[in-house]
Every structure is written in C-alpha cells, then in structure tokens.
Amino acid sequence: MFIDPWSSQQFIDYNRLRREFGIEEFNFKLPDSQKLFRRNIIFGHRGFDTVYDAIVNHQKFAVLTGLMPSGKMHFGHKMTIDQVIYYQSLGADVYIAVADLEAYATRGKSFKETLKIAEEEYFLNYIALGLKPEHSQIYFQSLRKDVTDLAFIFSKRTNISEMKGIYGFKDETSLAHVESPLVQSGDILHVQLDKYSGPIPTVVPVGIDQDPHIRLAREFTRRVSFFSVQQTDNGLGIFIKQDNNVAELLNTVSANLKKIGIKEIELNIPYKALYIKNFDFAKQSVIEKKLLEIEKQEGGYGFYLPAATYHRLMSSLDGTRKMSSSVPESYISLSEEPAEVKKKMMNAKTGGGSTIEEHRKFGGKPEECSVYEYYVYHLVDDDNYLKEVHDTCKAGTRLCGNCKKEAIEKINLFLKDLKEKREIAKEELDKYVRFN
Ligand code: TRP
Ligand code: SF4
C-alpha cells in the first residue's frame, strides 16, 4: 500500500492503514472534546502523548496546519480548521500556513492567484468559523524565509533516492514538486524557533493523505537532533550523533542528569554513549525534555518531535473518491448557494435501498452514505440525535428523501450564518494575516 498525498485516493480500511504505517490509535480523553474526536473521525496519531501532557498540565503547546488554496474552501477543509479552533480553545498557539509554494509546484497556481483565493475564500472562513486572533497567525510559505531556510537545511539531510522511495517521484518530476514536502517540514518545525513559539510540543492535524509528509518531518527532526535515546538491556542509552565535542557534551548531560536525581550513570566516550543502569522508564520523557534543553543551550534546535493526528477524509458526493477542490461535483463549498446545495445533495450517493419498499424492508446503510457523512462530521453536535438518525436509517423508517431534505436545511442554515460572519470578518483580516 502506498499513500500519495497529491492523488484523489480514497481510504476505506483505516485500521489496516494504521497497522501498515505504524500509526497509533487515537484514544486520548480530551477536555470538552469536540465531535470529530468523540466520533473517531480522528482515528490515529503519531506522538500525540507530548501534546496531551501539555494539555492536561496546562503547559504551552502549538498547533500548525496548512491548506493549499487552489479552489473553493469546502466541508473537508472545514474539518481541519474545526480542530485548530478546538486546540486554540485549549490555549494553543496557532499557525496556519498558506501552502502557496506547494500550490505553485503541484497545481501550477501563480502566487497572485493563490493570494486572491486565500484572501477571498479561506481566511474569511477561518475567522467566520471561530478562529480568534490571539496567539494565532496565518502566513504564506513563500513569504516566510524561516520556513524555506529550514527546508534548505533539511534538504541536506535527504537525497533523491529517499524522496523517490517515499513519494514515488520519477526522473521527470520537477524539483519544485520534490521541494514542496521539504517546505512542509519547514512549516511544521519553524514554530519551534525562538522567533515564534520556541521549542514546544506541536500537533499537526491533517487528513491521512498527509502522513508521508509527517513521517518525513519527524525524520528530519531526529536527523538534526544531537541525541538519540534508546532502551537497552538493563537501562537507557543516550547516544551523541555528531562527532565534535563528544566528551564535553556527555559530561554536560551527565552533570545535568545527576542534578535531577538520576543515578548509576556510565559514560563510554569512544562509543559516544551514556548509559543509565536500572532505569525507571517512567522517567524517560523527563530525560528527553532535559536533553532538548541541553541541545538548545549547546547551539542546537532543541525541537520536540512534532505530533500529528489523522482524520478520515470525507468522500466525494458520489462516493467514489475523496472530496477534492478540483472536482466541484465532489463537494459542497462553504460559499455554495442554497439552490446548488439542494441540487448537489439530491444527487448524492446514499446508503438507501434501491426502492422505497426495499428501504423500508431492509433498512439503509448509513456507513455507506455520503449524506450521513455530513451529519456525522458537521451537521449534528448532539450524539443522541446522531444515534437516532443512524438507527432510524438502519431500521428503514427514515427515508432518504426526507433525510436529504433535513440535511439541506441544516447546511443552508449553517452557510447563511457563515456568510454573515464572513462579512464581519473582512474588517478583521489584519489581526490574523502576516506577510512575513
Ligand atoms: N500539503 C498540505 C495539503 O495538501 C498543505 C500543507 C502545507 C500542510 N504545509 C503544511 C499541512 C503543514 C499540514 C502542515 O493540503
Ligand atoms: Fe443516508 Fe439518510 Fe438514506 Fe440513511 S436515510 S441512507 S442516512 S440518506
């Protein structure tokens, strides 16, 4: 199995995906959790533990995500912003990248075009959906040198064959396309530079299609770090990855660990290693944190390994692929006219029986219904009501025609309100958008 972030690949078996790519199951209990979390739409994660610890201990953390404004902003994009807004409510520093370099490289969009779409469509929606200006910034990849500088530094840590292995790039692939995931790693890690939030647990909420980029960003983080930590037979090993100042660095680590009460430390300088015997692994994250501080003091980045969460991707209205901004029939946009919403919904693929009689007799299949997806992801906050929709569908007492009508009403009501909020948001843009 292969994940291509730039294709319209639709995933069905999320458990298999998790197993195959080593993604962990998401089952953290979050405060006031939002429906996307409660309903397992966010089904997996990498390294979310550090972020979770920060949340429950009321410590600083950041959320970063990026969107490629290449068309209309639709309900699939909304999901990502909903999560960002939720993390903001928990106190996160918020960063949203406008992936204009990626749009240029992979969709052939000019910077001017992207800017226009971003300003007229995306930003107003972020604000209208509830993003607050405090501790949040929207920026452009092309204008943020810290991002592209990091991308360049990371590019020294990989090579063409690795990029081909991850993405299936061909000899004909343009170098701009090859660069865009490096820029995305720059996005993800630049928030931890001092000029921004400084070293801090960071979560990147994305659709599962972005996993290759996440793996790459995490790999770069490891490659630029000074230390690697591994469990050994009877304890913990801390290894220095570079060649200069090894002895000094090991002594500094040793002194720092003693200060926080770690005993039975043994240095092996030729091996560039420090071993802790009889180690209590419950303390591993404390040690890892300490090492990041030391790395920072000694002139390194001190980056926390960025975490990611993965959400299921909404399917296209005809149920055959993932929702995609380049295929207008596949989605409902956040600025869709009521008549258009009606038309698109009426044509949507349902999980209903082929005739009303059959539907009444055998019931519907909500899990195969693209209308039901809207109920679950967006339209119904109340879990009990959602269950009712689900159960009456299965029982065959809820008919698709009525069910669609109800969805259309809910969507149009929501979009009307959003439109009004977008008007107000026009005055607010300066508080959010950065041009550097
Ligand atoms: N590649 C993402 C997309 O196709 C956009 C993106 C750019 C992004 N930078 C990011 C997503 C950083 C998450 C984090 O939509
Ligand atoms: Fe989908 Fe509603 Fe029909 Fe069930 S009743 S299949 S949820 S449209």
Side-chain angles (χ1 to χ4, degrees):
M1 214 168 25
F2 191 78
I3 300 179
D4 177 354
W6 296 285
S7 77
S8 58
Q9 194 177 5
Q10 174 71 338
F11 306 98
I12 300 182
D13 188 345
Y14 288 97
N15 284 327
R16 175 168 167 216
L17 264 182
R18 274 201 298 97
R19 280 194 305 274
E20 201 139 324
F21 292 98
I23 294 170
E24 288 178 79
E25 193 170 350
F26 191 96
N27 39 29
F28 295 92
K29 292 275 162 290
L30 288 166
D32 303 316
S33 81
Q34 180 216 26
K35 58 179 178 297
L36 296 173
F37 292 94
R38 292 198 308 269
R39 296 174 187 170
N40 283 332
I41 295 165
I42 292 153
F43 69 95
H45 76 99
R46 291 188 193 273
F48 192 76
D49 314 68
T50 54
V51 176
Y52 185 72
D53 285 347
I55 292 173
V56 296
N57 297 313
H58 304 284
Q59 285 161 351
K60 270 176 62 116
F61 73 105
V63 55
L64 171 131
T65 195
L67 290 160
M68 194 165 24
S70 58
K72 292 275 170 193
M73 181 165 170
H74 56 57
F75 276 89
H77 301 124
K78 171 180 174 288
M79 245 200 291
T80 306
I81 300 301
D82 285 341
Q83 294 169 62
V84 169
I85 291 169
Y86 167 67
Y87 288 120
Q88 183 174 49
S89 78
L90 299 179
D93 289 352
V94 172
Y95 297 84
I96 305 178
V98 179
D100 58 349
L101 289 177
E102 186 180 359
Y104 176 78
T106 67
R107 303 257 196 275
K109 293 274 174 197
S110 74
F111 297 110
K112 229 170 125 185
E113 251 177 296
T114 306
L115 175 72
K116 188 162 181 284
I117 301 174
E119 286 191 329
E120 288 175 2
E121 276 276 324
Y122 284 68
F123 301 166
L124 297 177
N125 280 318
Y126 301 167
I127 302 170
L129 288 169
L131 187 70
K132 300 274 178 297
E134 292 80 29
H135 306 288
S136 66
Q137 46 179 293
I138 301 169
Y139 71 92
F140 296 81
Q141 286 179 328
S142 67
L143 300 179
R144 190 157 277 192
K145 189 161 184 305
D146 296 309
V147 167
T148 46
D149 280 354
L150 271 180
F152 194 82
I153 286 165
F154 294 148
S155 72
K156 175 96 168 107
R157 305 281 182 148
T158 182
N159 56 35
I160 294 172
S161 95
E162 184 180 47
M163 296 302 277
K164 279 185 173 173
I166 300 174
Y167 294 104
F169 289 148
K170 305 271 182 322
D171 286 356
E172 307 78 59
T173 306
S174 79
L175 292 181
H177 195 156
V178 178
E179 264 182 74
S180 56
L182 299 165
V183 174
Q184 181 153 343
S185 292
D187 284 326
I188 292 172
L189 286 147
H190 90 285
V191 311
Q192 297 196 54
L193 299 173
D194 286 334
K195 201 167 139 190
Y196 303 92
S197 295
I200 190 175
T202 307
V203 58
V204 184
V206 284
I208 179 62
D209 61 315
Q210 298 293 301
D211 184 49
H213 301 323
I214 300 295
R215 274 181 271 148
L216 187 67
R218 285 166 62 85
E219 189 52 35
F220 285 140
T221 311
R222 293 189 196 94
R223 288 180 192 173
V224 300
S225 77
F226 285 9
F227 305 105
S228 79
V229 178
Q230 275 160 39
Q231 303 192 354
T232 62
D233 290 347
N234 65 345
L236 197 73
I238 299 173
F239 306 94
I240 311 264
K241 292 163 53 188
Q242 80 221 22
D243 291 324
N244 11 353
N245 302 334
V246 172
E248 270 170 284
L249 211 47
L250 285 175
N251 283 313
T252 308
V253 173
S254 169
N256 273 282
L257 293 185
K258 280 179 188 154
K259 257 190 245 163
I260 56 171
I262 305 289
K263 298 192 186 75
E264 298 193 62
I265 296 175
E266 202 181 281
L267 299 190
N268 187 333
I269 294 177
Y271 269 68
K272 304 202 286 183
L274 180 156
Y275 298 101
I276 308 170
K277 284 201 202 138
N278 301 314
F279 182 67
D280 168 11
F281 290 109
K283 289 195 187 137
Q284 186 164 337
S285 67
V286 179
I287 301 242
E288 284 172 355
K289 233 176 171 161
K290 197 79 214 164
L291 290 174
L292 293 182
E293 277 170 33
I294 297 171
E295 180 180 319
K296 193 86 209 311
Q297 276 162 20
E298 299 296 319
Y301 289 114
F303 288 149
Y304 281 77
L305 199 56
T309 61
Y310 300 102
H311 54 253
R312 297 165 193 259
L313 296 167
M314 288 188 78
S315 33
S316 61
L317 287 167
D318 66 1
T320 59
R321 41 151 85 220
K322 84 178 184 200
M323 196 178 272
S324 156
S325 26
S326 48
V327 187
E329 312 79 71
S330 75
Y331 61 76
I332 292 176
S333 88
L334 298 184
S335 51
E336 207 82 72
E337 292 299 329
E340 198 59 22
V341 170
K342 184 169 177 193
K343 197 169 124 204
K344 285 184 170 180
M345 267 288 147
M346 281 309 187
N347 286 329
K349 178 190 165 280
T350 71
S354 45
T355 63
I356 292 192
E357 290 69 42
E358 255 183 49
H359 186 85
R360 284 219 164 93
K361 193 157 158 207
F362 302 110
K365 294 188 181 122
E367 61 285 350
E368 290 174 18
C369 175
S370 58
V371 179
Y372 187 67
E373 270 186 23
Y374 278 82
Y375 278 93
V376 180
Y377 289 62
H378 300 287
L379 302 179
V380 176
D381 284 329
D382 177 359
D383 293 341
N384 291 323
Y385 186 62
L386 186 71
K387 185 167 186 316
E388 189 183 319
V389 173
H390 178 272
D391 293 353
T392 50
C393 168
K394 274 204 113 80
T397 51
R398 170 177 275 266
L399 299 180
C400 295
N402 295 337
C403 187
K404 283 178 165 179
K405 255 188 224 138
E406 184 182 335
I408 293 165
E409 266 166 37
K410 284 186 156 60
I411 293 173
N412 282 335
L413 208 62
F414 171 77
L415 292 183
K416 180 165 176 279
D417 178 56
L418 200 66
K419 189 173 176 182
E420 285 162 13
K421 289 182 173 149
R422 275 200 301 269
E423 274 311 307
I424 304 168
K426 285 182 181 159
E427 308 299 319
E428 308 276 299
L429 281 173
D430 300 348
K431 294 185 195 156
Y432 297 82
V433 184
R434 306 287 160 89
F435 293 97
N436 59 16

